[in-house]
Amino acid sequence: MRLLAGLWACLADLGLGLGLATAQAEGLAEARYLDPTTRYDHAVLGDAVEWGALALTGAESGQVVTLTLPPSRVFEDVAPRLVDVDLDGAFDAMVVESDQSLGARLAIYSADGSLMAATPFIGQRYRWLAPVGAADLDGDGRVEVAYVDRPHLARTLRVWRYDDGALVEVAALPGVTNHRIGEADIAGGLRECLGKIEIIVASADWARVLGVTFDGATLAMRDLGPHVDRSSFAKAMTC
């Protein structure tokens, strides 16, 4: 279930057209997790199995680079997401990486396995984040990445901009979530309708489905209707 949900999430990100330009540099054709491990027993995604390695397949060469994490870390995630954060026409891999002592962070790796950028670790064991996606949310020619920080506790949407080789936090909105403990998938994502990108999440109490936009400075939220189940999100993700 987790692998199927992750594949859907990866395809959904690609559908936003983050890499419309023809690839000009070696980017990724595929990214997938390897080496299942139980060394980090958080089980936030429904079981105690996480991942110890990331396989990166080059789009042009077909070469596979395997990035293996140290024993103190795992990929605590549904699946890697292919994103083009520097808008060079080549896909990179966006992942959730968790540390035994420091909890989760969002990280972006290039096709050669190099770390391009990452958010700080949350700072405590068993503290997690649930990715939403990556896109130029405000139309300024730079890509933002969004996730829900501790969707079961802090329930805060955070937006970071990729700028000059780093992720810089530019906005935050409390009172939202996109995951419940034990679910094998992450709800919502990004939708683009009539050239406008919205972040689709739920209210913190799971009563409502919300659409959130970013204007470059602030996040604005609107109610899209009641939340019943995943069909509510499927409806919200369409124009």
Side-chain angles (χ1 to χ4, degrees):
M1 287 293 293
R2 286 172 61 177
L3 290 177
L4 290 175
L7 177 59
W8 179 91
C10 186
L11 291 174
D13 279 349
L14 288 176
L16 286 169
L18 297 179
L20 294 179
T22 301
Q24 298 174 355
E26 175 76 338
L28 290 171
E30 180 187 27
R32 58 193 175 92
Y33 294 131
L34 300 175
D35 296 347
T37 177
T38 57
R39 66 185 182 230
Y40 188 69
D41 58 347
H42 190 193
V44 72
L45 288 162
D47 59 42
V49 179
E50 306 305 338
W51 307 96
L54 175 66
L56 303 165
T57 303
E60 295 182 4
S61 66
Q63 180 181 356
V64 178
V65 173
T66 300
L67 171 66
T68 300
L69 291 177
S72 60
R73 294 184 186 175
V74 298
F75 293 109
E76 189 178 17
D77 199 2
V78 172
R81 295 148 190 85
L82 298 185
V83 298
D84 181 8
V85 292
D86 54 5
L87 297 178
D88 66 350
F91 286 122
D92 308 298
M94 184 169 76
V95 300
V96 181
E97 188 176 324
S98 292
D99 183 88
Q100 292 279 4
S101 300
L102 301 174
R105 71 174 181 177
L106 193 78
I108 301 171
Y109 288 94
S110 62
D112 65 1
S114 299
L115 180 65
M116 294 178 63
T119 65
F121 288 100
I122 290 172
Q124 185 177 342
R125 179 177 172 85
Y126 298 151
R127 296 296 182 263
W128 186 65
L129 61 88
V132 175
D136 181 0
L137 298 177
D138 58 350
D140 70 346
R142 294 174 292 178
V143 171
E144 286 80 32
V145 300
Y147 64 77
V148 178
D149 176 8
R150 291 160 288 174
H152 325 117
L153 296 170
R155 299 182 177 94
T156 299
L157 175 66
R158 298 194 185 277
V159 175
W160 299 70
R161 178 177 290 128
Y162 183 79
D163 194 10
D164 196 24
L167 289 173
V168 180
E169 187 171 6
V170 291
L173 178 69
V176 305
T177 188
N178 60 351
H179 186 266
R180 287 179 285 202
I181 293 175
E183 290 178 332
D185 65 333
I186 296 170
L190 300 181
R191 77 172 187 181
E192 183 175 4
C193 300
L194 300 175
K196 181 179 181 180
I197 298 176
E198 278 189 292
I199 299 166
I200 306 301
V201 289
S203 59
D205 61 2
W206 287 94
R208 313 297 296 181
V209 178
L210 307 172
V212 182
T213 55
F214 178 59
D215 65 4
T218 60
L219 292 163
M221 178 174 61
R222 68 187 184 105
D223 193 312
L224 298 180
H227 171 262
V228 178
D229 52 28
R230 283 296 192 265
S231 67
S232 305
F233 283 98
K235 180 179 178 181
M237 290 292 289
T238 62
C239 297

